[in-house]
C-alpha cells in the first residue's frame, strides 16, 4: 500500500499542464512572435517557471517596451502566487488543451496581481505557506524544529524540480503522533470560480471526537454544502484536486498527506459541471 | 476488512484518475511541445543566420556597386557559408548519434535497475523465510530447555529422596546392630545366670540325692532281703503268638527314676528289677530313662558294650543297678545321654537346646555347647558326637574341637539316632515317619525305610539297628512294632497285636534273639525268636 502512496506522491509532483503562451496582440513587436508551448508543472508557480517564455518573447520586443511580465486567461489575470495547477483547475479545467495563456508586458493590473520582482519573493511566499500549514497541523512545532538549511532544501527541491530532495524534508511535516490519528487541523483552501471570496479556509479536524476519520464529503458538508450532490439531483459541481475528482469518501487525513501541494496546503477547486 | 476494501476503492480511484489526467494532459503533448521547441530553436538560429547573411548581402551588394574585386570576396563568403553549413550538418548528425547512444544506455541502465530490484525482492523474501525458521527453531529450543529443566528437577527430587532413604536405612542398620548386640549380651547374661542357678541347684540336689540315695539303699537292702513270689496275676504275662512272635516276658528292667514321668512305661518295683537282671544274667538289657519334669537330671544309660557300665554302677551299691550319681546342670528335661567310647565321659542332650559333656571322675559338667535346638537323641563315635534335633537337623560335633563339623537336614523332627555295629551307618527316625539310613563315609542317605502304618508317636520315638545291622526295628503310634530288612528295604515283620498305645522305644538284645518294646501305656513287652 505504501508503494501505491509513493506513486500517488510522484504523480502529484510530476503533474504537467500543456500550455500555449501567446503574446498579447497589443504588444508592440518588431516582428510576429510565435506562440511558445511549455509543459508547466502543476505544483510550481508561474513566475518561477516562465523564464524561457520571457526570453522567447523578449526576442521580438524592444527593451523599452518591456515591463513586468504578467499572464491572463480569457480576460482573468492569473495570480502567480497560486499554484499553477490550481489556476488551471479553477479557470480552465474543462476547456480544450493546451491551456492558452496570454502574455502581457504592459499595464500590470496592480489591483488584481502581486508584483514579483525576484525569485526570493516567491521563496518567501512559499515558505510562509508551509509555516502556516504547519501551524495548523502541528502548532508549528515541526517547522520550528527544522534548521535553516532544511527550509532551504524544501525551496531548492521545488525550484529545481527535485522530488526526492523535497520529500526528504517534507515527510517530517507529514508525520503525526499515532494516538492522535492525524494532524491537529487540516490545512485546506476551497476555491470557487465565481465568487467574491478568494477562498474558504477554516479550522477542521481530521478525526471525530469518537475517533472516526472524516472524509472529503464531511469537509464539504461542513464548508461548502452546495458542492455535494444529494440523491436524485443532477451533479452541479465538480470537486477537483490536482485535476482529478477524488471520491467523497476519501479520508481527509490521507488527502492532506498525499494530495497536498508542496506548500502543504490541500487546494480544492469547486467548479460547475460542464453542461455539454 | 470492509474498511480495507473501501480504502482500496477511493485510493484506486485517485491513482487511476491521476494516471488518466497525465495521459490526457501531459503525455499527449509532451513530445509535440519538445519537437516544437526544437524547431523554434532552429528557426531562431536560421533567423539569426539569415539576418547576418542579409547584412552581408547588403554589404556585398554595396560592394558590387563599388568594384568587381568584391566578387572574389563574395565567392569566399559563399565558400565560408557552404563550409559552415557542412559543419553544422556534421554537428547535427553527431548530436543525433550521441542522443541515440544515450537513449540506449538509458534503456540498459533501466533494465539493470529492474533486475537489481528483483534480486533485492528475492533476497528480502529469503530473509523473511529465514527469520521465520529462526523463530520456530528458537521456539523449539526454548521448549527443549524447559523440558530439560523439568527433568533435572525431577532427577534432583529423586536424588534427594534416595539420600533421605539412605540415611533412614543406615539409621535402621545401626539400630539393628545395637539391638543384636543387646540381644547377644542379654542371652549370654541369661546363660551365665542359668549356669549359676544350675550350679546352685546342683549343690542342693547333690545333698538331696545323697540323702535319697541313702534312703533308697536302705529300702533296696530291705526289699532284697524278702523274696518275692511270682504270681499269675502279676503284671507279667506270657502271651501266645499269632502273627509275629511275642515273647511274653517281663518288661525290661528299668533303672530308677525319682518320679514317674508322664510318658513312659511304668516303673517296676525295685525288687522286680533286681530279679529280672539276675534271670537274664547278661548285659543286654535295654533301659531307657526319661527325664522327669523337674529340673534335676537323671542319667539315662543305654548299655552298649556296657558291661563296664553295670560294673560301674555296681560299684556304688550292693547290687547292681542302683543310683550312682546325679549330674545336674541342664535347665530342661534331658532327652538323651551316652557314654563316650572311653567310658569316662558322658554326653547328654536336653530340651534346653544344649549338649553337655560330663566327666565321670570329677562328676562335673566339662563343656556345654549351645546346639540351637532341643536335642532329642545322641549317638557317638570315637571322634564324633551326632545329635538329632527338634529343628530337623542332625548335627555332627567334633569332640576335641567341640564344634559342629557337619549338619544333615531331614524332613521332620529327628526323634531317634542309632549307629550300627561298626559305626559306618547312622539310623535316623524323623517325625515325617521316615526312617533313613545314612552312610557316614559319604554322608548321603543310603536308604529310606517306611511302612504304611508306621507313624512316629512322639518326638522321642526310638528305632534301632539289630546287632548285626541287618534289621531295623521301630515302634509306631498305633502300637505296631515294625521290623525292616535292611538289605531289601521292606518290612520284614509287623508285630501289632500286643501293644495298645504308641510304642515309645525298642531295643534289640545283643544276640539279636530278643526285642524289647515299651509303650506309652506303661507296658513293656519282650519279644523272642527274632
Amino acid at each position: 500500500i505504501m508503494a501505491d502512496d509513493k506513486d500517488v506522491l510522484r504523480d502529484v509532483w510530476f503533474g504537467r499542464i500543456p500550455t500555449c503562451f501567446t503574446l498579447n496582440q497589443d504588444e508592440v513587436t518588431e516582428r510576429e512572435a510565435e506562440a511558445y508551448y511549455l509543459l508547466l508543472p502543476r505544483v510550481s508557480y508561474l513566475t518561477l517557471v516562465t523564464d524561457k517564455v520571457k526570453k522567447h518573447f523578449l526576442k521580438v520586443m524592444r527593451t523599452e517596451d518591456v515591463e513586468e511580465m504578467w499572464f491572463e486567461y480569457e480576460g482573468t489575470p492569473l495570480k502567480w502566487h497560486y499554484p499553477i495547477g490550481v489556476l488551471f483547475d479553477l479557470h480552465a479545467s474543462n476547456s480544450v488543451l493546451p491551456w492558452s495563456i496570454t502574455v502581457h508586458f504592459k499595464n500590470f493590473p496592480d489591483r488584481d496581481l502581486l508584483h514579483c520582482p525576484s525569485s526570493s519573493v516567491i521563496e518567501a511566499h512559499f515558505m510562509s505557506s508551509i509555516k502556516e500549514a504547519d501551524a495548523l497541523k502541528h502548532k508549528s512545532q515541526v517547522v520550528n524544529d527544522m534548521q535553516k538549511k532544511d527550509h532551504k532544501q524544501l525551496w531548492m527541491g521545488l525550484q529545481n524540480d527535485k522530488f526526492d530532495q523535497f520529500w526528504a524534508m517534507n515527510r517530517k511535516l507529514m508525520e503525526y503522533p499515532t494516538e492522535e490519528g492525524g494532524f491537529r487541523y487540516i490545512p485546506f483552501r476551497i476555491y470557487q470560480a465565481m465568487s467574491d471570496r478568494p477562498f474558504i479556509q477554516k479550522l477542521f479536524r481530521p478525526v471525530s471526537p469518537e475517533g472516526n476519520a472524516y472524509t472529503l464529503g464531511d469537509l464539504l458538508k461542513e464548508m461548502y454544502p452546495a458542492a455535494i450532490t444529494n440523491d436524485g439531483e443532477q451533479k452541479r459541481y465538480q470537486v477537483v484536486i490536482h485535476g482529478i475528482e477524488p471520491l467523497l469518501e476519501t479520508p481527509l487525513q490521507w488527502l492532506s498527506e498525499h494530495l497536498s501541494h508542496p506548500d502543504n496546503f490541500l487546494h480544492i477547486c469547486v467548479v460547475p459541471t460542464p453542461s455539454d | 476488512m470492509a474498511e480495507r476494501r473501501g480504502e482500496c476503492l477511493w485510493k484506486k480511484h485517485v491513482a487511476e484518475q491521476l494516471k488518466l489526467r497525465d495521459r490526457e494532459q501531459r503525455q499527449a503533448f509532451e513530445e509535440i511541445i519538445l519537437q516544437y521547441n526544437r524547431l523554434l530553436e532552429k528557426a531562431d538560429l536560421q533567423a539569426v543566420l539569415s539576418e547576418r547573411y542579409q547584412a552581408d548581402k547588403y554589404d556585398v551588394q554595396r560592394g558590387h556597386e563599388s568594384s568587381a574585386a568584391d566578387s572574389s570576396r563574395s565567392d569566399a563568403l559563399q565558400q565560408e557559408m557552404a563550409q559552415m553549413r557542412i559543419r553544422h550538418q556534421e554537428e547535427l548528425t553527431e548530436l543525433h548519434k550521441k542522443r541515440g547512444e544515450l537513449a540506449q544506455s538509458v534503456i540498459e541502465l533501466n533494465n539493470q535497475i529492474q533486475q537489481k530490484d528483483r534480486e533485492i525482492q528475492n533476497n528480502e523474501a529469503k530473509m523473511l523465510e529465514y527469520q521465520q525458521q529462526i523463530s520456530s527453531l528458537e521456539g523449539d529450543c526454548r521448549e527443549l530447555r524447559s523440558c530439560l529443566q523439568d527433568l533435572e528437577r525431577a532427577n534432583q527430587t529423586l536424588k534427594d529422596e534416595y539420600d533421605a532413604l539412605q540415611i533412614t536405612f543406615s539409621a535402621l542398620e545401626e539400630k539393628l546392630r545395637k539391638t543384636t548386640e543387646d540381644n547377644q549380651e542379654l542371652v549370654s547374661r541369661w546363660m551365665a545366670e542359668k549356669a549359676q542357678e544350675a550350679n546352685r541347684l546342683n549343690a542342693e540336689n547333690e545333698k538331696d540325692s545323697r540323702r535319697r540315695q541313702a534312703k533308697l539303699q536302705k529300702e533296696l537292702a530291705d526289699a532284697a532281703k524278702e523274696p518275692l513270689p511270682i504270681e499269675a496275676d502279676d503284671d507279667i504275662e506270657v502271651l501266645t503268638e499269632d502273627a509275629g512272635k511275642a515273647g511274653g516276658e517281663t518288661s525290661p528292667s528299668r533303672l530308677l527314676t525319682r518320679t514317674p514321668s508322664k510318658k513312659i512305661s511304668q516303673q517296676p518295683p525295685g525288687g522286680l528289677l533286681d530279679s529280672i537282671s539276675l534271670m537274664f544274667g547278661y548285659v543286654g538289657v535295654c533301659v531307657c530313662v526319661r527325664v522327669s519334669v523337674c529340673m534335676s537330671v537323671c542319667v539315662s544309660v543305654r548299655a552298649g558294650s556296657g558291661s563296664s557300665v553295670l560294673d560301674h554302677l555296681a560299684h556304688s551299691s550292693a547290687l547292681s543297678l542302683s543310683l550312682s550319681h546325679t549330674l545336674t546342670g541342664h535347665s530342661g528335661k534331658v532327652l538323651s545321654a551316652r557314654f563316650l567310647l572311653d567310658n569316662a565321659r558322658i554326653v547328654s542332650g536336653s530340651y534346653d537346646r544344649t549338649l553337655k559333656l560330663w566327666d565321670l571322675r570329677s562328676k562335673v559338667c566339662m563343656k556345654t555347647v549351645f546346639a540351637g535346638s532341643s536335642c532329642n537323641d545322641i549317638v557317638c563315635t570315637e571322634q564324633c558326637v551326632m545329635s538329632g534335633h527338634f529343628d530337623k537337623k542332625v548335627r555332627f560335633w567334633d569332640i576335641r574341637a567341640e564344634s559342629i563339623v557337619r549338619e544333615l537336614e531331614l524332613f521332620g523332627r529327628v526323634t531317634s539316632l542309632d549307629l550300627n555295629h561298626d559305626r559306618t551307618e547312622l539310623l535316623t527316625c524323623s517325625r515325617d515317619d521316615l526312617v533313613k539310613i545314612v552312610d557316614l563315609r559319604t554322608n548321603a542317605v543310603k536308604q529310606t525305610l517306611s511302612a504304611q502304618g508306621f507313624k512316629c508317636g512322639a518326638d522321642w520315638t526310638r528305632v534301632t539297628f539289630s546287632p548285626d545291622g541287618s534289621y531295623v526295628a521301630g515302634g509306631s503310634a498305633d502300637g505296631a512294632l515294625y521290623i525292616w530288612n535292611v538289605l531289601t528295604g521292606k518290612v520284614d515283620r509287623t508285630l501289632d497285636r500286643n501293644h495298645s498305645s504308641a510304642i515309645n522305644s525298642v531295643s534289640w538284645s545283643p544276640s539279636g534273639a530278643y526285642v524289647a518294646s515299651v509303650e506309652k501305656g506303661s507296658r513293656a513287652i519282650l519279644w523272642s525268636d527274632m
Side-chain angles (χ1 to χ4, degrees):
Chain A
I1 302 296
M2 270 314 298
D4 293 343
D5 285 352
K6 197 122 191 273
D7 285 342
V8 166
L9 293 176
R10 289 194 92 92
D11 286 343
V12 163
W13 178 271
F14 288 108
R16 295 279 188 268
I17 299 175
T19 318
C20 172
F21 290 92
T22 335
L23 190 59
N24 182 22
Q25 289 158 328
D26 297 340
E27 301 289 328
V28 177
T29 59
E30 290 183 354
R31 58 169 194 277
E32 193 187 352
E34 297 96 349
Y36 194 76
Y37 288 86
L38 200 54
L39 281 173
L40 294 179
R42 274 179 167 272
V43 302
S44 189
Y45 301 93
L46 277 172
T47 40
L48 195 55
V49 297
T50 47
D51 288 337
K52 281 201 189 139
V53 175
K54 191 169 184 179
K55 206 171 84 178
H56 172 79
F57 287 120
L58 283 181
K59 281 189 292 208
V60 300
M61 296 187 71
R62 295 182 304 186
T63 34
E64 54 269 25
D65 296 327
V66 171
E67 288 163 17
E68 189 169 344
M69 182 169 69
W70 56 281
F71 307 95
E72 76 48 34
Y73 171 73
E74 292 190 350
T76 317
L78 297 175
K79 303 182 203 292
W80 66 262
H81 60 281
Y82 283 10
I84 295 171
V86 176
L87 291 169
F88 176 78
D89 290 336
L90 196 54
H91 298 295
S93 55
N94 291 306
S95 62
V96 164
L97 294 171
W99 189 19
S100 302
I101 295 184
T102 317
V103 183
H104 294 261
F105 286 99
K106 292 197 306 222
N107 304 323
F108 193 91
D110 289 313
R111 287 152 59 95
D112 298 316
L113 299 181
L114 298 169
H115 284 278
C116 182
S118 70
S119 68
S120 52
V121 174
I122 314 175
E123 180 181 357
H125 167 68
F126 176 68
M127 289 315 297
S128 100
S129 281
I130 286 186
K131 285 177 188 167
E132 185 183 348
D134 198 56
L136 289 170
K137 288 199 279 189
H138 303 120
K139 295 202 243 186
S140 299
Q141 278 166 356
V142 179
V143 78
N144 287 341
D145 279 343
M146 286 189 189
Q147 297 172 331
K148 189 122 172 72
K149 68 173 170 74
D150 300 331
H151 295 170
K152 204 69 181 174
Q153 186 172 339
L154 287 166
W155 166 247
M156 299 303 284
L158 177 71
Q159 189 183 40
N160 300 326
D161 192 26
K162 295 273 189 256
F163 174 81
D164 294 310
Q165 185 184 19
F166 177 79
W167 270 99
M169 275 304 134
N170 198 41
R171 65 178 178 80
K172 291 188 198 170
L173 296 167
M174 290 302 175
E175 289 167 349
Y176 56 88
T178 23
E179 61 267 21
E180 303 286 320
F183 303 134
R184 191 151 178 266
Y185 297 105
I186 299 289
F188 71 91
R189 286 185 183 147
I190 305 182
Y191 301 88
Q192 296 157 273
M194 296 296 137
S195 170
D196 40 2
R197 281 167 85 179
F199 49 76
I200 302 171
Q201 178 179 342
K202 289 201 191 139
L203 293 177
F204 193 82
R205 288 193 191 272
V207 178
S208 75
E210 299 85 37
N212 302 323
Y214 283 130
T215 64
L216 180 59
D218 295 330
L219 177 71
L220 290 171
K221 240 185 285 185
E222 182 74 23
M223 302 295 168
Y224 193 359
I228 301 183
T229 323
N230 300 323
D231 299 327
E233 285 185 344
Q234 250 194 344
K235 190 163 143 190
R236 275 180 295 146
Y237 290 104
Q238 283 177 320
V239 178
V240 184
I241 307 176
H242 281 290
I244 64 169
E245 282 182 80
L247 299 174
L248 289 181
E249 52 261 33
T250 315
L252 200 56
Q253 174 65 27
W254 185 85
L255 282 175
S256 178
E257 285 176 45
H258 297 89
L259 251 58
S260 289
H261 280 254
D263 62 358
N264 277 227
F265 267 86
L266 189 65
H267 299 278
I268 306 173
C269 300
V270 178
V271 294
T273 322
S275 53
D276 47 26
Chain B
M1 249 357 273
E3 211 181 77
R4 195 70 64 77
R5 257 185 268 122
E7 178 181 300
C8 287
L9 205 58
W10 52 256
K11 216 182 260 196
K12 248 195 244 170
H13 177 82
V14 166
E16 279 170 18
Q17 289 288 305
L18 285 170
K19 294 274 185 288
L20 192 63
R21 176 202 75 180
D22 283 344
R23 256 216 305 279
E24 285 179 3
Q25 296 179 359
R26 179 182 180 146
Q27 287 159 10
F29 293 91
E30 203 165 2
E31 193 61 28
I32 287 183
I33 290 179
L34 187 65
Q35 297 298 338
Y36 174 85
N37 285 335
R38 229 190 259 148
L39 282 173
L40 213 55
E41 275 175 34
K42 268 199 214 161
D44 285 343
L45 192 60
Q46 298 287 9
V48 166
L49 282 176
S50 71
E51 256 185 54
R52 218 196 296 165
Y53 294 153
Q54 276 217 336
D56 287 345
K57 199 169 79 177
Y58 286 141
D59 289 342
V60 166
Q61 273 183 352
R62 261 183 266 124
H64 270 313
E65 287 172 6
S66 56
S67 71
D70 292 329
S71 63
S72 63
R73 235 182 338 134
S74 74
D75 279 342
L77 262 174
Q78 278 182 354
Q79 269 185 357
E80 260 184 66
M81 269 171 53
Q83 273 178 6
M84 253 173 47
R85 207 176 29 236
I86 292 170
R87 232 185 304 134
H88 284 164
Q89 275 179 350
E90 279 174 13
E91 271 182 42
L92 201 62
T93 45
E94 252 188 65
L95 287 173
H96 277 302
K97 237 192 281 170
K98 264 209 210 126
R99 195 175 67 105
E101 278 169 25
L102 287 173
Q104 185 77 5
S105 62
V106 160
I107 289 172
E108 260 175 52
L109 288 171
N110 272 344
N111 282 345
Q112 277 184 3
I113 285 177
Q114 278 181 359
Q115 216 179 5
K116 292 286 184 251
D117 279 339
R118 251 177 277 135
E119 270 178 39
I120 286 175
Q121 271 182 355
N122 281 350
N123 286 344
E124 277 182 15
K126 263 193 237 161
M127 263 184 9
L128 208 65
E129 229 185 271
Y130 289 148
Q131 270 182 352
Q132 277 177 352
Q133 263 188 348
I134 285 174
S135 59
S136 77
L137 285 172
E138 273 181 12
D140 286 341
C141 197
R142 251 177 281 130
E143 270 180 44
L144 287 171
R145 245 183 258 136
S146 70
C147 248
L148 187 68
Q149 272 184 356
D150 287 339
L151 284 172
E152 273 182 13
R153 250 180 272 131
N155 191 28
Q156 190 60 34
T157 336
L158 284 172
K159 274 200 207 147
D160 291 339
E161 275 184 35
Y162 173 72
D163 287 337
L165 285 172
Q166 192 77 324
I167 291 173
T168 330
F169 171 68
S170 47
L172 285 173
E173 253 192 337
E174 185 65 28
K175 253 212 267 183
L176 175 70
R177 194 183 53 82
K178 271 197 13 196
T179 323
T180 324
E181 273 180 26
D182 287 344
N183 180 39
Q184 283 193 351
E185 202 207 311
L186 284 170
V187 164
S188 56
R189 265 201 290 164
W190 180 59
M191 295 289 299
E193 282 201 21
K194 290 293 180 218
Q196 273 186 1
E197 249 187 82
N199 282 340
R200 240 187 313 118
L201 286 168
N202 250 357
E204 277 188 28
N205 287 342
E206 194 70 41
K207 268 194 292 178
D208 228 10
S209 61
R210 254 188 286 231
R211 225 187 321 121
R212 250 179 275 128
Q213 213 175 353
K215 184 164 156 222
L216 266 169
Q217 269 184 356
K218 203 164 95 0
E219 278 183 19
L220 276 171
D222 292 341
K225 294 203 189 94
E226 328 170 358
L228 208 59
I230 301 176
E231 287 168 10
D233 50 17
D234 234 337
D235 47 355
I236 301 171
E237 49 179 292
V238 181
L239 298 159
T240 55
E241 110 135 67
D242 285 352
K245 303 213 171 86
E249 303 301 328
T250 58
S251 39
S253 57
R254 193 139 321 238
L255 203 46
L256 4 118
T257 60
R258 261 184 318 124
T259 52
S261 107
K262 293 191 259 200
K263 306 203 173 109
I264 317 300
S265 334
Q266 67 173 126
Q267 336 298 330
L272 184 55
L273 241 89
D274 192 21
S275 51
I276 291 169
S277 69
L278 290 172
M279 269 167 66
F280 281 97
Y282 53 75
V283 184
V285 171
C286 328
V287 294
C288 295
V289 165
R290 292 288 174 254
V291 178
S292 66
V293 190
C294 63
M295 301 297 265
S296 64
V297 167
C298 304
V299 175
S300 78
V301 168
R302 193 177 286 186
S305 55
S307 56
S308 56
V309 174
L310 282 178
D311 289 342
H312 177 86
L313 289 171
H315 274 171
S316 20
S317 62
L319 294 164
S320 55
L321 304 180
S322 58
L323 178 61
S324 171
H325 287 298
T326 308
L327 303 170
T328 57
H330 274 297
S331 51
K333 53 192 178 192
V334 176
L335 291 166
S336 180
R338 286 278 181 187
F339 281 98
L340 290 185
L341 290 182
D342 57 7
N343 288 328
R345 293 177 289 178
I346 290 176
V347 59
S348 64
S350 159
Y351 185 70
D352 69 353
R353 292 183 254 162
T354 60
L355 297 172
K356 284 185 186 282
L357 190 63
W358 310 85
D359 180 62
L360 284 173
R361 279 185 284 266
S362 53
K363 305 185 187 65
V364 291
C365 171
M366 279 168 30
K367 181 81 194 146
T368 308
V369 284
F370 188 70
S373 171
S374 155
C375 169
N376 286 335
D377 204 356
I378 296 189
V379 294
C380 51
T381 62
E382 284 115 349
Q383 302 103 341
C384 190
V385 171
M386 285 157 262
S387 57
H389 291 267
F390 188 87
D391 64 352
K392 307 178 200 168
K393 289 197 184 148
V394 178
R395 293 182 166 83
F396 296 74
W397 307 80
D398 184 309
I399 297 173
R400 274 187 289 268
E402 291 160 358
S403 59
I404 296 183
V405 173
R406 213 178 304 124
E407 284 181 5
L408 179 68
E409 182 147 2
L410 298 176
F411 296 107
R413 303 191 278 275
V414 182
T415 67
S416 168
L417 295 175
D418 196 20
L419 287 170
N420 67 349
H421 173 69
D422 45 13
R423 296 191 278 277
T424 56
E425 289 173 2
L426 178 69
L427 180 70
T428 67
C429 175
S430 48
R431 273 321 281 273
D432 61 348
D433 308 326
L434 294 175
V435 179
K436 295 196 165 110
I437 300 177
V438 179
D439 187 329
L440 288 173
R441 285 172 292 216
T442 62
N443 285 312
V445 174
K446 212 170 80 163
Q447 207 168 6
T448 305
L449 306 168
S450 64
Q452 201 171 10
F454 176 72
K455 290 190 183 27
C456 286
D459 277 356
W460 41 79
T461 305
R462 302 295 194 217
V463 300
T464 81
F465 272 115
S466 63
D468 57 4
S470 51
Y471 292 97
V472 167
S476 161
D478 56 3
L481 179 64
Y482 289 85
I483 314 280
W484 287 273
N485 185 320
V486 171
L487 288 167
T488 64
K490 302 228 183 336
V491 178
D492 195 66
R493 249 183 297 192
T494 309
L495 309 166
D496 55 1
R497 297 177 100 249
N498 300 96
H499 277 294
S500 52
S501 59
I503 297 179
N504 277 322
S505 180
V506 296
S507 186
W508 289 83
S509 66
S511 65
Y514 298 92
V515 168
S517 60
V518 296
E519 68 169 60
K520 197 162 157 184
S522 305
R523 231 150 71 107
I525 299 184
L526 187 63
W527 309 84
S528 63
D529 298 331
M530 302 303 285

